[in-house]
Amino acid sequence: MSKLDAERIPPELRHRVPPGQTLTQKWPVLHYSGIPMFMDMSKWQFRVFGEVDHPFSLSWDEFRSLPSVRRTSDFHCVTTWSRLDNRWEGVLFATLAERAKARPQARYAMLHSFDGYYTNVPLSWLMADDVLFAWSHDEKPLSEEHGGPLRLVVPKLYAWKSAKWVGGIEFMNENKRGFWEERGYHNRGEPFLEERYSYQETEETRE
Ligand SMILES: Nc1nc2c(c(=O)[nH]1)N[C@H]1C(S)=C(S)[C@@H](COP(=O)(O)O)O[C@H]1N2
Ligand SMILES: [Mo]
C-alpha cells in the first residue's frame, strides 16, 4: 500500500486494515469460472465426510433448521481490497464439526464447492467463533454472485478461503492444497502477516 492510500484510511480503522490493503464500500465479485446453477433446491445437498465418526448429508431444509448465529466481520481479498463490517447470518463451522464427531487426528479440512472449487484450512482456524456457513449478508439473502445459496466465511484469512457455493466439508489428517493454493497462493493466507504467495511459506504454514 502506498503512503497516500494508507493516509486515506481513517485513523480509527487503520488497525483493522492489513498491510497492502485499501478499503472499499462496494463488494467486488471474484471467482475463477462461472456461477453454478441451482435449478432445483430440492436436489441441493451438503456433505460432511472424511475423518469423522459420523458422516452425514443435509438437504437445504435440514441445513436451514440447524441452530444459526449472526456475526459481523471484516473481509480481506488478496487482490488488495478490504470490506469492513459485513453482517453475516448462518451456521457456525463448529456446529457441523461437532455433529460429525471429527476424529482427534483430523487437523485440516477441504471445503468443496459446486463450481469445482476447493480450498484447505486448518481446523484450528475453522473452529473459531466467527467462522460460519452464511446464507445472508447485510440482512439480505446472499446473492448468487457472492456464493448464494451458501458460502463459507473465514474472516481472519484472505477471502479465497471463503468458499462460495459451498457443498461439503472433507475432514483430513494431512493438509492438502486447494485450487489457489496449488496455483501459487499461500497455504494459510493470514492477511495481517501478508501471507499472499506460496514462496512465503515457512515449515509451519506449509504442513
Ligand atoms: N466456489 C468458489 N468460491 C470462491 C472462489 C471461486 O472461484 N469459487 N473464489 C474465491 C476468491 S479468489 C475470492 S477473492 C472470494 C471473493 O468473494 P466475493 O466474490 O464474494 O467477493 O471468493 C472465494 N471463493
Ligand atoms: Mo481472490
Side-chain angles (χ1 to χ4, degrees):
M1 175 162 49
S2 72
K3 190 153 174 285
L4 252 181
D5 286 339
E7 280 166 2
R8 268 189 227 118
I9 298 171
E12 68 277 15
L13 295 180
R14 275 181 206 159
H15 69 285
R16 288 169 60 186
V17 184
Q21 299 291 109
T22 52
L23 290 183
T24 177
Q25 311 271 0
K26 291 185 298 236
W27 191 14
V29 173
L30 283 162
H31 41 260
Y32 79 102
S33 126
I35 299 177
M37 301 280 266
F38 297 104
M39 308 298 282
D40 187 353
M41 283 306 283
S42 71
K43 298 216 170 76
W44 187 95
Q45 271 217 329
F46 192 93
R47 287 182 62 216
V48 183
F49 61 103
E51 291 298 319
V52 295
D53 286 336
H54 176 57
F56 59 89
S57 293
L58 297 173
S59 68
W60 179 246
D61 290 340
E62 288 166 338
F63 196 97
R64 288 299 306 258
S65 57
L66 295 171
S68 65
V69 298
R70 287 166 189 276
R71 294 289 182 268
T72 300
S73 58
D74 301 341
F75 197 70
H76 309 293
C77 177
V78 73
T79 60
T80 76
W81 55 268
S82 292
R83 191 180 189 281
L84 304 184
D85 291 323
N86 299 277
R87 285 166 293 150
W88 303 103
E89 183 181 357
V91 175
L92 287 175
F93 180 93
T95 301
L96 292 148
E98 279 152 22
R99 180 167 168 156
K101 302 203 187 318
R103 297 189 178 135
Q105 66 268 30
R107 291 175 50 218
Y108 308 93
M110 190 72 81
L111 285 305
H112 294 276
S113 294
F114 292 114
D115 59 341
Y117 187 76
Y118 51 104
T119 185
N120 58 306
V121 186
L123 285 186
S124 54
W125 292 78
L126 290 169
M127 294 298 283
D129 193 52
D130 59 359
V131 175
L132 71 165
F133 292 97
W135 55 69
S136 160
H137 175 264
D138 286 355
E139 317 307 329
K140 290 191 284 289
L142 184 64
S143 68
E144 266 194 343
E145 57 182 10
H146 286 297
L150 191 75
R151 83 175 299 162
L152 181 67
V153 183
V154 189
K156 292 194 180 69
L157 296 175
Y158 280 123
W160 84 78
K161 300 288 188 181
S162 291
K164 308 201 279 189
W165 314 296
V166 68
I169 313 170
E170 176 186 2
F171 286 84
M172 310 187 295
N173 294 346
E174 277 162 30
N175 209 353
K176 281 189 251 162
R177 300 183 83 94
F179 181 88
W180 285 123
E181 294 82 0
E182 283 176 332
R183 288 166 176 78
Y185 284 91
H186 199 282
N187 206 30
R188 182 168 66 183
E190 207 285 328
F192 284 91
L193 300 173
E194 271 205 275
E195 293 174 341
R196 297 176 188 273
Y197 307 111
S198 50
Y199 66 78
Q200 299 169 299
E201 286 168 19
T202 60
E203 204 71 359
E204 183 213 341
T205 53
R206 202 175 305 121
E207 66 137 22

